[in-house]
Coordinates of all heavy atoms in Angstrom, one line a residue:
N80 N 21.6 -77.2 209.1 CA 22.4 -77.1 207.9 C 21.6 -76.3 206.8 O 22.3 -75.5 206.2 CB 22.8 -78.5 207.3 CG 24.0 -79.1 208.1 OD1 25.0 -78.5 208.3 ND2 23.8 -80.3 208.5
L81 N 20.4 -76.6 206.7 CA 19.7 -75.8 205.7 C 19.5 -74.3 206.0 O 19.5 -73.5 205.0 CB 18.3 -76.4 205.6 CG 18.1 -77.8 204.9 CD1 16.7 -78.3 204.9 CD2 18.8 -77.9 203.6
L82 N 19.6 -74.0 207.2 CA 19.5 -72.6 207.6 C 20.8 -71.9 207.1 O 20.7 -70.8 206.5 CB 19.4 -72.4 209.1 CG 19.3 -71.0 209.6 CD1 18.0 -70.3 209.2 CD2 19.4 -70.9 211.1
W83 N 22.0 -72.4 207.4 CA 23.2 -71.7 206.9 C 23.3 -71.7 205.4 O 23.8 -70.8 204.8 CB 24.4 -72.1 207.6 CG 25.0 -73.5 207.4 CD1 24.8 -74.6 208.0 CD2 25.8 -73.8 206.2 NE1 25.5 -75.7 207.4 CE2 26.1 -75.1 206.3 CE3 26.3 -73.1 205.2 CZ2 26.9 -75.9 205.4 CZ3 27.2 -73.7 204.3 CH2 27.5 -75.1 204.4
I84 N 23.0 -72.8 204.8 CA 23.0 -72.9 203.4 C 22.1 -71.8 202.7 O 22.5 -71.1 201.8 CB 22.7 -74.3 202.8 CG1 23.7 -75.3 203.3 CG2 22.5 -74.3 201.4 CD1 23.4 -76.7 203.1
G85 N 20.9 -71.7 203.2 CA 19.9 -70.8 202.8 C 20.4 -69.3 203.0 O 20.2 -68.4 202.1
L86 N 21.1 -69.0 204.1 CA 21.7 -67.7 204.4 C 22.8 -67.3 203.4 O 22.8 -66.3 202.8 CB 22.1 -67.6 205.8 CG 22.7 -66.3 206.2 CD1 21.6 -65.2 206.2 CD2 23.2 -66.4 207.6
V87 N 23.7 -68.3 203.2 CA 24.8 -68.0 202.2 C 24.2 -67.8 200.7 O 24.7 -66.9 200.1 CB 25.7 -69.2 202.2 CG1 26.8 -69.1 201.1 CG2 26.5 -69.2 203.6
V88 N 23.3 -68.7 200.3 CA 22.7 -68.6 199.0 C 21.9 -67.3 198.9 O 21.9 -66.6 197.9 CB 21.8 -69.7 198.6 CG1 21.0 -69.5 197.4 CG2 22.7 -71.0 198.5
A89 N 21.2 -66.8 199.9 CA 20.5 -65.6 199.9 C 21.4 -64.4 199.8 O 21.1 -63.5 199.0 CB 19.6 -65.4 201.2
I90 N 22.5 -64.4 200.6 CA 23.4 -63.2 200.4 C 24.1 -63.3 199.0 O 24.2 -62.2 198.3 CB 24.6 -63.4 201.5 CG1 24.0 -63.2 202.8 CG2 25.7 -62.4 201.2 CD1 24.9 -63.4 204.0
F91 N 24.4 -64.4 198.5 CA 25.0 -64.5 197.2 C 24.1 -64.0 196.1 O 24.4 -63.3 195.2 CB 25.4 -66.0 196.9 CG 26.1 -66.2 195.6 CD1 27.4 -65.7 195.4 CD2 25.5 -66.9 194.6 CE1 28.1 -65.9 194.2 CE2 26.2 -67.1 193.4 CZ 27.4 -66.6 193.3
C92 N 22.8 -64.5 196.2 CA 21.8 -64.1 195.2 C 21.4 -62.6 195.3 O 21.0 -62.0 194.3 CB 20.7 -65.0 195.2 SG 20.9 -66.7 194.6
T93 N 21.5 -62.1 196.5 CA 21.2 -60.7 196.6 C 22.3 -59.8 196.0 O 22.0 -58.8 195.3 CB 21.1 -60.3 198.1 OG1 20.0 -61.1 198.7 CG2 20.7 -58.8 198.3
R94 N 23.5 -60.2 196.1 CA 24.6 -59.5 195.5 C 24.6 -59.6 194.0 O 24.8 -58.6 193.4 CB 25.9 -59.9 196.1 CG 27.2 -59.3 195.5 CD 27.2 -57.9 195.8 NE 28.4 -57.2 195.2 CZ 28.3 -56.5 194.1 NH1 27.2 -56.3 193.4 NH2 29.4 -55.9 193.7
Y95 N 24.5 -60.8 193.5 CA 24.5 -61.1 192.1 C 23.1 -61.5 191.7 O 22.7 -62.6 191.8 CB 25.5 -62.1 191.8 CG 26.9 -61.8 192.3 CD1 27.5 -62.4 193.4 CD2 27.7 -60.9 191.6 CE1 28.7 -62.1 193.9 CE2 29.0 -60.5 192.1 CZ 29.4 -61.1 193.2 OH 30.7 -60.8 193.6
R96 N 22.3 -60.6 191.1 CA 20.9 -60.8 190.8 C 20.7 -61.8 189.7 O 19.7 -62.5 189.6 CB 20.2 -59.5 190.5 CG 20.1 -58.6 191.6 CD 19.2 -57.5 191.2 NE 19.1 -56.7 192.5 CZ 18.0 -56.1 192.8 NH1 16.9 -56.2 192.1 NH2 18.0 -55.3 193.9
D97 N 21.7 -62.0 188.8 CA 21.6 -62.9 187.7 C 21.8 -64.4 188.2 O 21.8 -65.3 187.3 CB 22.6 -62.6 186.6 CG 22.2 -61.3 186.0 OD1 21.1 -60.8 186.2 OD2 23.1 -60.6 185.4
M98 N 22.2 -64.6 189.4 CA 22.5 -66.0 189.9 C 21.3 -66.9 190.2 O 21.4 -68.0 190.5 CB 23.4 -65.9 191.1 CG 24.7 -65.4 190.8 SD 25.6 -66.7 189.8 CE 26.1 -65.7 188.4
H99 N 20.1 -66.3 190.2 CA 19.0 -67.0 190.5 C 18.7 -68.2 189.6 O 18.5 -69.3 190.1 CB 17.7 -66.1 190.5 CG 16.5 -66.8 191.0 ND1 15.7 -67.6 190.2 CD2 15.9 -66.9 192.2 CE1 14.7 -68.1 190.9 NE2 14.8 -67.7 192.1
P100 N 18.9 -68.1 188.3 CA 18.8 -69.2 187.4 C 19.9 -70.2 187.6 O 19.7 -71.4 187.4 CB 18.8 -68.7 185.9 CG 18.4 -67.2 186.1 CD 18.9 -66.8 187.5
V101 N 21.1 -69.7 187.9 CA 22.2 -70.6 188.1 C 22.0 -71.4 189.3 O 22.2 -72.7 189.3 CB 23.5 -69.8 188.2 CG1 24.7 -70.7 188.6 CG2 23.8 -69.0 186.9
V102 N 21.5 -70.9 190.4 CA 21.2 -71.6 191.7 C 20.1 -72.6 191.3 O 20.2 -73.8 191.8 CB 20.8 -70.7 192.8 CG1 20.2 -71.5 193.9 CG2 21.9 -69.8 193.2
G103 N 19.1 -72.3 190.5 CA 18.1 -73.3 190.2 C 18.6 -74.5 189.4 O 18.3 -75.6 189.6
S104 N 19.6 -74.1 188.5 CA 20.2 -75.3 187.7 C 21.1 -76.1 188.6 O 21.1 -77.4 188.4 CB 21.1 -74.7 186.6 OG 20.3 -73.9 185.7
V105 N 21.8 -75.5 189.5 CA 22.7 -76.3 190.5 C 21.8 -77.2 191.3 O 22.1 -78.3 191.6 CB 23.5 -75.4 191.3 CG1 24.2 -76.1 192.4 CG2 24.6 -74.7 190.4
M106 N 20.6 -76.7 191.8 CA 19.7 -77.5 192.6 C 19.2 -78.7 191.8 O 18.9 -79.7 192.3 CB 18.6 -76.7 193.2 CG 19.0 -75.7 194.2 SD 19.9 -76.5 195.6 CE 18.6 -77.4 196.3
S107 N 18.9 -78.4 190.5 CA 18.4 -79.5 189.7 C 19.5 -80.6 189.5 O 19.2 -81.8 189.6 CB 18.0 -79.0 188.3 OG 16.9 -78.2 188.4
L108 N 20.7 -80.2 189.3 CA 21.8 -81.1 189.2 C 22.0 -81.9 190.5 O 22.2 -83.0 190.5 CB 23.1 -80.3 188.9 CG 24.4 -81.2 188.8 CD1 24.3 -82.1 187.5 CD2 25.6 -80.3 188.7
M109 N 21.9 -81.2 191.6 CA 22.1 -81.9 192.9 C 20.9 -82.8 193.2 O 21.2 -83.9 193.8 CB 22.2 -80.8 194.0 CG 23.4 -80.0 194.0 SD 24.9 -80.9 194.1 CE 24.9 -81.5 195.8
F110 N 19.8 -82.6 192.7 CA 18.7 -83.5 192.8 C 19.0 -84.9 192.1 O 18.8 -85.9 192.6 CB 17.4 -82.9 192.2 CG 16.3 -83.9 192.2 CD1 15.5 -84.2 193.3 CD2 15.9 -84.5 191.0 CE1 14.4 -85.1 193.3 CE2 14.8 -85.4 191.0 CZ 14.1 -85.7 192.1
F111 N 19.6 -84.8 190.9 CA 19.9 -86.0 190.1 C 21.2 -86.8 190.7 O 21.3 -88.0 190.5 CB 20.1 -85.7 188.7 CG 18.8 -85.3 188.0 CD1 18.5 -84.1 187.5 CD2 17.8 -86.3 188.0 CE1 17.3 -83.8 187.0 CE2 16.6 -86.0 187.4 CZ 16.3 -84.7 186.9
I112 N 22.1 -86.1 191.3 CA 23.3 -86.8 191.8 C 23.1 -87.2 193.2 O 24.1 -87.9 193.7 CB 24.6 -85.9 191.6 CG1 24.6 -84.7 192.4 CG2 24.8 -85.7 190.1 CD1 26.0 -84.0 192.3
T113 N 22.1 -86.7 193.9 CA 21.8 -87.2 195.2 C 20.8 -88.4 195.2 O 19.9 -88.3 194.4 CB 21.2 -86.0 196.1 OG1 22.1 -85.0 196.0 CG2 20.9 -86.4 197.5
P114 N 21.0 -89.4 196.0 CA 20.2 -90.6 195.8 C 18.7 -90.4 196.4 O 18.4 -90.9 197.5 CB 20.9 -91.7 196.6 CG 21.7 -90.9 197.5 CD 22.1 -89.6 196.9
I115 N 18.0 -89.5 195.7 CA 16.6 -89.2 196.1 C 15.7 -90.3 195.5 O 14.8 -90.9 196.1 CB 16.2 -87.8 195.9 CG1 17.1 -86.9 196.7 CG2 14.7 -87.5 196.1 CD1 16.9 -85.4 196.4
V116 N 15.8 -90.3 194.2 CA 15.0 -91.3 193.4 C 15.7 -92.5 193.0 O 15.1 -93.4 192.4 CB 14.4 -90.6 192.1 CG1 13.6 -89.4 192.4 CG2 15.6 -90.1 191.2
W117 N 16.9 -92.7 193.5 CA 17.6 -93.9 193.3 C 18.4 -94.3 194.6 O 18.5 -93.5 195.5 CB 18.6 -93.9 192.2 CG 19.6 -92.7 192.3 CD1 19.3 -91.5 191.7 CD2 20.9 -92.7 192.8 NE1 20.4 -90.6 192.0 CE2 21.4 -91.3 192.6 CE3 21.7 -93.6 193.4 CZ2 22.6 -91.0 193.0 CZ3 23.0 -93.2 193.8 CH2 23.4 -92.0 193.6
Q118 N 18.7 -95.5 194.8 CA 19.3 -96.0 196.0 C 20.9 -96.2 195.8 O 21.4 -96.4 194.7 CB 18.9 -97.4 196.3 CG 17.4 -97.5 196.7 CD 17.1 -96.9 198.1 OE1 18.0 -97.0 199.0 NE2 16.0 -96.4 198.3
V119 N 21.7 -95.9 196.8 CA 23.1 -96.1 196.7 C 23.5 -97.6 196.4 O 24.5 -97.7 195.7 CB 23.7 -95.7 198.1 CG1 25.2 -95.9 198.1 CG2 23.4 -94.3 198.4
D120 N 22.6 -98.5 196.8 CA 22.9 -99.9 196.4 C 22.8 -100.2 194.9 O 23.4 -101.2 194.5 CB 21.8 -100.8 197.1 CG 21.8 -100.6 198.6 OD1 22.8 -100.1 199.1 OD2 20.8 -100.9 199.2
Q121 N 22.2 -99.3 194.1 CA 22.2 -99.5 192.7 C 23.5 -99.1 192.0 O 23.6 -99.5 190.9 CB 21.0 -98.6 192.1 CG 19.7 -99.1 192.6 CD 18.6 -98.2 192.1 OE1 18.8 -97.0 191.9 NE2 17.4 -98.7 192.0
L122 N 24.3 -98.4 192.7 CA 25.7 -98.1 192.1 C 26.6 -99.3 192.0 O 26.4 -100.3 192.8 CB 26.3 -97.0 192.9 CG 25.7 -95.6 192.9 CD1 26.4 -94.7 193.8 CD2 25.7 -95.0 191.5
P123 N 27.4 -99.4 191.0 CA 28.4 -100.5 191.0 C 29.2 -100.6 192.3 O 29.5 -99.4 192.9 CB 29.3 -100.2 189.8 CG 28.5 -99.2 189.0 CD 27.6 -98.5 189.9
P124 N 29.7 -101.7 192.7 CA 30.4 -101.8 194.0 C 31.7 -100.9 194.0 O 32.0 -100.3 195.1 CB 30.9 -103.2 194.1 CG 29.9 -104.0 193.2 CD 29.5 -103.0 192.1
G125 N 32.3 -100.7 192.9 CA 33.5 -99.8 192.9 C 33.2 -98.3 193.0 O 34.0 -97.5 193.2
R126 N 31.9 -97.9 192.8 CA 31.6 -96.5 192.8 C 30.6 -96.1 193.9 O 30.2 -95.0 194.0 CB 30.8 -96.2 191.4 CG 31.7 -96.7 190.3 CD 32.0 -95.6 189.4 NE 32.9 -96.0 188.4 CZ 33.1 -95.4 187.3 NH1 32.5 -94.3 187.1 NH2 33.9 -95.8 186.4
A127 N 30.2 -97.0 194.7 CA 29.3 -96.7 195.8 C 29.9 -95.7 196.8 O 29.2 -94.9 197.4 CB 28.9 -98.0 196.6
H128 N 31.2 -95.7 196.9 CA 31.8 -94.7 197.9 C 31.7 -93.3 197.4 O 31.8 -92.4 198.3 CB 33.3 -95.2 198.1 CG 34.1 -94.9 196.9 ND1 34.2 -95.8 195.9 CD2 35.0 -93.9 196.6 CE1 35.0 -95.3 195.0 NE2 35.5 -94.2 195.4
L129 N 31.5 -93.1 196.1 CA 31.4 -91.7 195.6 C 30.1 -91.1 196.1 O 30.1 -89.8 196.3 CB 31.3 -91.8 194.1 CG 32.7 -92.2 193.4 CD1 32.4 -92.3 191.9 CD2 33.8 -91.2 193.8
A130 N 29.1 -91.8 196.5 CA 27.9 -91.2 197.0 C 28.1 -90.6 198.4 O 27.5 -89.6 198.8 CB 26.7 -92.3 197.1
D131 N 29.1 -91.1 199.1 CA 29.4 -90.5 200.5 C 30.1 -89.2 200.3 O 30.1 -88.5 201.4 CB 30.1 -91.5 201.3 CG 29.3 -92.7 201.8 OD1 28.1 -92.6 201.8 OD2 29.8 -93.8 202.0
L132 N 30.7 -88.9 199.2 CA 31.3 -87.6 199.1 C 30.3 -86.5 198.9 O 30.7 -85.3 199.0 CB 32.2 -87.7 197.8 CG 33.4 -88.7 197.9 CD1 34.2 -88.7 196.6 CD2 34.3 -88.3 199.1
N133 N 29.1 -86.8 198.6 CA 28.0 -85.8 198.4 C 27.4 -85.5 199.8 O 26.8 -86.3 200.4 CB 26.9 -86.3 197.5 CG 25.9 -85.4 197.2 OD1 25.8 -84.2 197.8 ND2 25.0 -85.7 196.3
P134 N 27.6 -84.3 200.3 CA 27.1 -83.9 201.6 C 25.5 -84.0 201.7 O 25.0 -84.3 202.8 CB 27.5 -82.5 201.9 CG 28.0 -82.0 200.6 CD 28.3 -83.2 199.7
L135 N 24.8 -83.9 200.6 CA 23.4 -84.0 200.6 C 23.0 -85.5 200.8 O 21.9 -85.7 201.4 CB 22.7 -83.4 199.4 CG 22.9 -81.9 199.2 CD1 22.3 -81.4 197.9 CD2 22.3 -81.2 200.4
T136 N 23.8 -86.4 200.4 CA 23.5 -87.8 200.6 C 23.5 -88.1 202.0 O 22.7 -88.9 202.5 CB 24.5 -88.7 199.8 OG1 24.5 -88.4 198.4 CG2 24.3 -90.2 200.1
I137 N 24.5 -87.6 202.7 CA 24.6 -87.8 204.2 C 23.4 -87.2 204.9 O 22.8 -87.8 205.8 CB 25.9 -87.2 204.7 CG1 27.1 -88.0 204.1 CG2 26.0 -87.2 206.3 CD1 28.4 -87.3 204.3
L138 N 23.0 -86.0 204.6 CA 21.8 -85.4 205.2 C 20.5 -86.2 204.9 O 19.7 -86.4 205.7 CB 21.6 -83.9 204.8 CG 22.8 -83.1 205.3 CD1 22.6 -81.6 204.7 CD2 22.9 -83.0 206.7
L139 N 20.4 -86.7 203.6 CA 19.3 -87.5 203.2 C 19.2 -88.8 204.0 O 18.2 -89.2 204.4 CB 19.3 -87.7 201.8 CG 18.2 -88.5 201.2 CD1 16.9 -87.7 201.3 CD2 18.4 -88.9 199.7
E140 N 20.4 -89.4 204.2 CA 20.4 -90.7 204.9 C 20.0 -90.6 206.4 O 19.4 -91.4 206.9 CB 21.8 -91.4 204.8 CG 22.1 -92.0 203.4 CD 21.1 -93.1 203.1 OE1 20.8 -94.0 204.0 OE2 20.5 -93.1 202.0
L141 N 20.3 -89.4 207.0 CA 20.0 -89.2 208.3 C 18.4 -89.0 208.4 O 17.9 -89.3 209.5 CB 20.6 -87.8 208.9 CG 22.0 -87.9 209.1 CD1 22.6 -86.5 209.5 CD2 22.3 -88.9 210.3
M142 N 17.8 -88.6 207.4 CA 16.3 -88.6 207.4 C 15.7 -89.9 207.0 O 14.7 -90.4 207.5 CB 15.8 -87.5 206.4 CG 16.2 -86.1 206.8 SD 15.4 -85.5 208.3 CE 13.7 -85.4 207.6
R143 N 16.3 -90.5 206.0 CA 15.7 -91.7 205.4 C 15.8 -93.0 206.3 O 14.9 -93.7 206.4 CB 16.4 -92.0 204.0 CG 15.9 -93.3 203.3 CD 16.7 -93.6 202.1 NE 16.5 -92.6 201.1 CZ 17.1 -92.6 199.9 NH1 18.1 -93.3 199.8 NH2 16.8 -91.6 199.0
Q144 N 16.9 -93.2 206.9 CA 17.1 -94.4 207.7 C 16.2 -94.6 208.9 O 15.6 -95.7 209.0 CB 18.6 -94.5 208.2 CG 19.6 -94.8 207.1 CD 19.4 -96.1 206.4 OE1 19.0 -97.1 207.1 NE2 19.5 -96.2 205.2
P145 N 15.8 -93.6 209.6 CA 14.9 -93.8 210.7 C 13.5 -94.1 210.1 O 12.7 -94.9 210.7 CB 14.9 -92.5 211.5 CG 16.2 -92.0 211.3 CD 16.6 -92.3 209.9
I146 N 13.1 -93.6 209.0 CA 11.9 -93.8 208.4 C 11.8 -95.3 207.9 O 10.7 -95.9 208.0 CB 11.6 -92.8 207.2 CG1 11.4 -91.5 207.8 CG2 10.3 -93.3 206.4 CD1 11.3 -90.4 206.7
L147 N 12.9 -95.8 207.4 CA 12.9 -97.2 206.9 C 13.2 -98.2 208.0 O 13.2 -99.4 207.8 CB 14.0 -97.3 205.8 CG 13.7 -96.5 204.6 CD1 14.9 -96.6 203.6 CD2 12.5 -96.9 203.9
G148 N 13.3 -97.7 209.3 CA 13.5 -98.6 210.4 C 14.9 -99.0 210.7 O 15.3 -99.8 211.5
G149 N 15.9 -98.2 210.0 CA 17.3 -98.4 210.2 C 17.8 -97.3 211.1 O 17.2 -96.5 211.6
V150 N 19.2 -97.5 211.3 CA 19.9 -96.5 212.2 C 21.0 -95.9 211.3 O 21.8 -96.7 210.7 CB 20.5 -97.2 213.4 CG1 21.3 -96.2 214.2 CG2 19.4 -97.8 214.3
P151 N 21.0 -94.6 211.2 CA 22.1 -94.0 210.4 C 23.5 -94.3 211.0 O 23.7 -94.5 212.2 CB 21.8 -92.5 210.5 CG 20.4 -92.4 210.9 CD 20.2 -93.6 211.7
A152 N 24.5 -94.3 210.2 CA 25.9 -94.6 210.7 C 26.4 -93.5 211.5 O 26.0 -92.3 211.3 CB 26.8 -94.9 209.5
P153 N 27.1 -93.7 212.6 CA 27.7 -92.6 213.4 C 28.5 -91.6 212.6 O 28.5 -90.5 213.0 CB 28.5 -93.4 214.5 CG 28.0 -94.7 214.5 CD 27.5 -95.0 213.1
M154 N 29.1 -92.1 211.5 CA 30.0 -91.2 210.7 C 29.0 -90.1 210.1 O 29.4 -89.0 210.0 CB 30.7 -92.0 209.6 CG 31.5 -91.0 208.7 SD 31.9 -91.8 207.1 CE 30.3 -91.9 206.3
Y155 N 27.8 -90.5 209.7 CA 26.9 -89.5 209.1 C 26.5 -88.4 210.1 O 26.5 -87.2 209.8 CB 25.6 -90.2 208.6 CG 25.8 -91.0 207.4 CD1 24.8 -91.9 207.0 CD2 27.0 -90.9 206.6 CE1 25.0 -92.7 205.9 CE2 27.1 -91.8 205.5 CZ 26.1 -92.6 205.1 OH 26.3 -93.3 204.0
W156 N 26.3 -88.8 211.4 CA 26.0 -87.8 212.4 C 27.2 -86.9 212.7 O 27.0 -85.6 212.8 CB 25.7 -88.5 213.7 CG 24.3 -89.1 213.7 CD1 24.0 -90.5 213.6 CD2 23.0 -88.5 213.7 NE1 22.7 -90.7 213.6 CE2 22.1 -89.5 213.7 CE3 22.6 -87.2 213.8 CZ2 20.7 -89.2 213.7 CZ3 21.3 -86.9 213.8 CH2 20.3 -87.9 213.7
A157 N 28.4 -87.4 212.6 CA 29.6 -86.6 212.9 C 29.8 -85.6 211.8 O 30.1 -84.4 211.9 CB 30.8 -87.6 213.0
V158 N 29.6 -86.1 210.5 CA 29.8 -85.2 209.3 C 28.8 -84.1 209.4 O 29.1 -83.0 209.0 CB 29.8 -86.0 208.0 CG1 29.7 -85.2 206.8 CG2 30.9 -87.0 207.9
A159 N 27.5 -84.5 209.6 CA 26.5 -83.5 209.6 C 26.6 -82.5 210.7 O 26.5 -81.3 210.6 CB 25.1 -84.2 209.8
A160 N 27.2 -82.9 211.9 CA 27.5 -82.0 213.0 C 28.6 -81.0 212.6 O 28.5 -79.8 212.9 CB 27.7 -82.7 214.3
I161 N 29.6 -81.6 212.1 CA 30.8 -80.7 211.7 C 30.4 -79.7 210.6 O 30.7 -78.6 210.7 CB 32.0 -81.6 211.2 CG1 32.5 -82.3 212.4 CG2 33.0 -80.7 210.6 CD1 33.5 -83.5 212.1
A162 N 29.6 -80.2 209.7 CA 29.1 -79.3 208.6 C 28.2 -78.2 209.2 O 28.3 -77.0 208.7 CB 28.4 -80.1 207.5
A163 N 27.3 -78.5 210.1 CA 26.5 -77.6 210.8 C 27.3 -76.5 211.5 O 27.0 -75.3 211.3 CB 25.5 -78.2 211.7
V164 N 28.3 -76.9 212.2 CA 29.1 -75.9 213.0 C 29.9 -75.1 212.1 O 29.9 -73.8 212.1 CB 30.0 -76.6 214.0 CG1 30.9 -75.7 214.6 CG2 29.1 -77.3 215.1
A165 N 30.6 -75.7 211.2 CA 31.5 -75.0 210.2 C 30.7 -74.1 209.3 O 31.1 -72.9 209.1 CB 32.3 -76.0 209.4
G166 N 29.6 -74.6 208.8 CA 28.8 -73.8 207.9 C 28.1 -72.6 208.6 O 28.0 -71.5 208.1
S167 N 27.7 -72.8 209.9 CA 27.1 -71.7 210.6 C 28.1 -70.6 210.9 O 27.8 -69.4 210.8 CB 26.5 -72.3 212.0 OG 25.5 -73.2 211.6
V168 N 29.3 -71.0 211.3 CA 30.4 -70.0 211.5 C 30.6 -69.3 210.2 O 30.7 -68.0 210.3 CB 31.6 -70.7 212.1 CG1 32.8 -69.7 212.0 CG2 31.4 -71.2 213.4
F169 N 30.7 -69.9 209.1 CA 30.9 -69.2 207.8 C 29.7 -68.3 207.5 O 30.0 -67.2 207.1 CB 31.1 -70.3 206.7 CG 31.2 -69.7 205.3 CD1 32.3 -69.0 205.0 CD2 30.2 -69.9 204.4 CE1 32.5 -68.4 203.7 CE2 30.3 -69.3 203.2 CZ 31.4 -68.6 202.8
A170 N 28.6 -68.8 207.6 CA 27.4 -67.9 207.3 C 27.3 -66.7 208.2 O 27.0 -65.6 207.7 CB 26.1 -68.7 207.4
V171 N 27.6 -66.8 209.5 CA 27.5 -65.7 210.4 C 28.6 -64.7 210.1 O 28.4 -63.5 210.0 CB 27.6 -66.1 211.8 CG1 27.8 -65.0 212.8 CG2 26.3 -66.9 212.2
A172 N 29.8 -65.2 209.8 CA 30.9 -64.3 209.3 C 30.6 -63.6 208.1 O 30.9 -62.4 208.0 CB 32.2 -65.2 209.2
L173 N 30.0 -64.3 207.1 CA 29.6 -63.7 205.8 C 28.5 -62.5 206.1 O 28.6 -61.5 205.5 CB 29.1 -64.7 204.9 CG 28.9 -64.3 203.4 CD1 30.3 -64.1 202.8 CD2 28.2 -65.5 202.7
L174 N 27.5 -62.8 206.9 CA 26.6 -61.9 207.2 C 27.1 -60.8 208.0 O 26.7 -59.6 207.7 CB 25.4 -62.6 208.1 CG 24.2 -61.7 208.3 CD1 23.5 -61.2 207.1 CD2 23.2 -62.4 209.3
A175 N 28.0 -60.9 208.9 CA 28.6 -59.9 209.6 C 29.4 -59.0 208.7 O 29.4 -57.7 208.9 CB 29.5 -60.4 210.8
R176 N 30.0 -59.6 207.8 CA 30.8 -58.7 206.8 C 30.0 -57.9 205.9 O 30.3 -56.7 205.5 CB 31.7 -59.6 206.0 CG 32.6 -58.9 205.1 CD 33.6 -59.8 204.4 NE 34.2 -59.2 203.3 CZ 35.3 -58.5 203.2 NH1 36.0 -58.3 204.4 NH2 35.8 -58.0 202.1
F177 N 28.9 -58.5 205.4 CA 28.1 -57.8 204.3 C 26.7 -57.3 204.7 O 26.0 -56.8 203.9 CB 27.9 -58.8 203.2 CG 29.2 -59.2 202.5 CD1 29.7 -60.5 202.5 CD2 29.9 -58.2 201.8 CE1 30.8 -60.8 201.9 CE2 31.1 -58.5 201.2 CZ 31.6 -59.8 201.2
R178 N 26.5 -57.3 206.0 CA 25.1 -56.9 206.4 C 24.8 -55.4 206.1 O 23.6 -55.1 205.9 CB 24.8 -57.3 207.9 CG 25.6 -56.3 208.8 CD 25.2 -56.6 210.2 NE 26.0 -55.8 211.1 CZ 26.3 -56.0 212.3 NH1 25.8 -57.1 212.9 NH2 27.0 -55.2 212.9
H179 N 25.8 -54.6 206.1 CA 25.5 -53.1 205.9 C 25.4 -52.9 204.4 O 24.8 -51.9 204.0 CB 26.7 -52.3 206.5 CG 26.8 -52.4 207.9 ND1 25.9 -52.0 208.8 CD2 27.8 -53.0 208.6 CE1 26.3 -52.2 210.0 NE2 27.4 -52.8 210.0
R180 N 25.9 -53.8 203.5 CA 25.7 -53.6 202.1 C 24.5 -54.2 201.5 O 24.1 -53.9 200.4 CB 26.9 -54.1 201.4 CG 28.2 -53.5 201.9 CD 29.4 -54.2 201.2 NE 30.7 -53.8 201.8 CZ 31.8 -54.4 201.6 NH1 31.9 -55.4 200.9 NH2 32.9 -53.9 202.1
V181 N 23.8 -55.1 202.2 CA 22.6 -55.8 201.7 C 21.6 -54.8 201.2 O 20.9 -55.0 200.2 CB 22.2 -56.9 202.6 CG1 20.8 -57.4 202.2 CG2 23.1 -58.0 202.8
A182 N 21.3 -53.8 202.0 CA 20.3 -52.8 201.7 C 20.6 -52.1 200.4 O 19.7 -51.7 199.6 CB 20.2 -51.7 202.9
Y183 N 21.9 -51.9 200.1 CA 22.2 -51.2 198.8 C 22.1 -52.2 197.6 O 21.9 -51.8 196.5 CB 23.7 -50.7 198.9 CG 23.8 -49.6 199.9 CD1 24.5 -49.9 201.1 CD2 23.2 -48.4 199.8 CE1 24.6 -48.9 202.0 CE2 23.2 -47.4 200.7 CZ 24.0 -47.6 201.9 OH 24.1 -46.7 202.8
W184 N 22.3 -53.5 197.9 CA 22.2 -54.5 196.9 C 20.7 -54.7 196.4 O 20.5 -55.2 195.3 CB 22.8 -55.8 197.3 CG 24.3 -55.8 197.5 CD1 25.2 -54.8 197.1 CD2 25.0 -56.6 198.3 NE1 26.4 -55.1 197.5 CE2 26.3 -56.2 198.2 CE3 24.7 -57.8 199.0 CZ2 27.4 -56.9 198.9 CZ3 25.7 -58.5 199.6 CH2 27.1 -58.1 199.6
L185 N 19.8 -54.4 197.3 CA 18.4 -54.7 197.0 C 17.9 -53.6 196.1 O 17.2 -53.6 195.3 CB 17.5 -54.7 198.3 CG 17.8 -55.9 199.1 CD1 17.0 -55.8 200.4 CD2 17.4 -57.2 198.4

């Protein structure tokens, strides 16, 4: 998943050079809304489901649960696999479309 995300962001930032600070700001925002320094259990019961809408939460739980001795939910594996396939197809299509222009953007 990180490979296709990096490829899409690289193509985007190559085309629009001013987007580097914007990507940095978005990454800072994603750091705070993803349960990296806080636990999903700390959310109120009515809002805990909102954490599952964040795709980075799902990827983080796939890494965190085995380290903590738990097993990630099968839904997390399915969502991560679907995101990997769909994102990879999108990234390859984007690269195929714009690969001849990247040299001019640099």
